[in-house]
Amino acid sequence: VAVDYSFRTSIGQHLLHLARAMRHASDAETKVDSKDEIGQLVQEYNQMVHQQNYLLNAAQKLSSSGSWDMDVQSGDMVWSKQLYEIFAVSAESIKPDLENMIGFAHPDDRLLIRQAIAATLSQRNDFNQEIRITRADGQERVVYFQTHCLASKHGEITRVIGNVTDITDRKREDTERLQAMKLHALGSLSSGMAHSLNNLILPILIS
């Protein structure tokens, strides 16, 4: 959050300087210098955007998560690079839209996604739910699906954003850890019962 806030603050400052430089560019006496200043600010802005995208992609890859952004009015969607990787598809092979995203979900879970987005739009409720998916390569995975709405300053919902985190490996590790704990507990119980039984039988055998 701190990185994002710092980035947005820096971008805001650069855009403010850029706007001022553009106003100055209308003055003939400062036209040349202002154009140079605009060019420098644009270059710095592009570098910051590139760096932010790089950091976002790296963070999502490390966390096995991808994100999407949908314009409510047009229905247009944008998928992050990592979301394509979660679905095992390339950006050139599929259109990033709602139906294609839902199509990767297990048939029994597709209604959950539709209901989640509908609830986000109508009730402004965030949605958090485990969803089963089948990747383009046939692998079945489990993801954590989240939605959140963004509103304009007038309170009108303009966008719905979401995050998809692949938790398959984490769930497998949790299952294996739980199984190991059960086996350990069973072994301890068996050992304790055997010890207690020996204590009962030994006096009988001795007598």
Side-chain angles (χ1 to χ4, degrees):
V1 176
V3 173
D4 179 63
Y5 175 78
S6 175
F7 171 76
R8 287 186 283 108
T9 301
S10 300
I11 290 295
Q13 292 174 346
H14 275 71
L15 289 177
L16 179 59
H17 292 321
L18 179 58
R20 289 172 177 169
M22 291 178 69
R23 285 198 300 269
H24 290 321
S26 61
D27 187 343
E29 296 180 358
T30 61
K31 187 174 183 179
V32 175
D33 291 338
S34 295
K35 281 186 176 181
D36 291 341
E37 182 181 357
I38 291 174
Q40 181 181 355
L41 290 173
V42 169
Q43 183 178 5
E44 291 177 2
Y45 172 81
N46 289 335
Q47 290 175 346
M48 293 179 67
V49 170
H50 176 75
Q51 181 182 19
Q52 181 70 359
N53 286 335
Y54 174 81
L55 292 174
L56 173 63
N57 289 331
Q60 290 193 342
K61 192 172 186 64
L62 288 172
S63 61
S64 298
S65 64
S67 56
W68 52 271
D69 186 337
M70 183 178 73
D71 184 283
V72 172
Q73 184 173 4
S74 67
D76 292 339
M77 290 187 75
V78 176
W79 294 0
S80 71
K81 179 181 178 181
Q82 188 62 23
L83 188 58
Y84 286 100
E85 295 187 14
I86 289 176
F87 294 145
V89 294
S90 65
E92 296 76 22
S93 66
I94 191 171
K95 180 182 178 180
D97 61 24
L98 182 60
E99 290 305 313
N100 281 332
M101 182 174 66
I102 293 176
F104 288 107
H106 186 282
D108 293 340
D109 292 346
R110 291 172 186 172
L111 182 60
L112 286 175
I113 299 178
R114 296 186 188 279
Q115 290 175 338
I117 295 177
T120 300
L121 289 172
S122 62
Q123 304 172 25
R124 306 192 179 203
N125 291 337
D126 289 350
F127 178 81
N128 305 278
Q129 178 70 44
E130 289 186 9
I131 297 291
R132 296 164 292 174
I133 67 169
T134 301
R135 292 162 34 118
D137 58 8
Q139 286 192 41
E140 295 184 356
R141 311 287 290 183
V142 180
V143 301
Y144 193 61
F145 191 87
Q146 300 169 282
T147 64
H148 178 72
C149 66
L150 298 176
S152 67
K153 63 180 181 180
H154 303 295
E156 178 185 3
I157 297 178
T158 56
R159 292 158 57 202
V160 177
I161 59 175
N163 195 67
V164 179
T165 304
D166 190 333
I167 60 173
T168 309
D169 295 338
R170 188 188 314 167
K171 286 182 68 66
R172 183 184 300 115
E173 292 171 358
D174 290 343
T175 300
E176 292 174 351
R177 188 180 302 111
L178 180 60
Q179 185 66 21
M181 292 174 60
K182 288 181 178 179
L183 291 174
H184 178 74
L186 181 60
S188 299
L189 178 61
S190 299
S191 177
M193 291 178 63
H195 180 72
S196 299
L197 186 59
N198 286 335
N199 289 340
L200 292 174
I201 294 177
L202 186 59
I204 298 175
L205 294 177
I206 294 177
S207 62

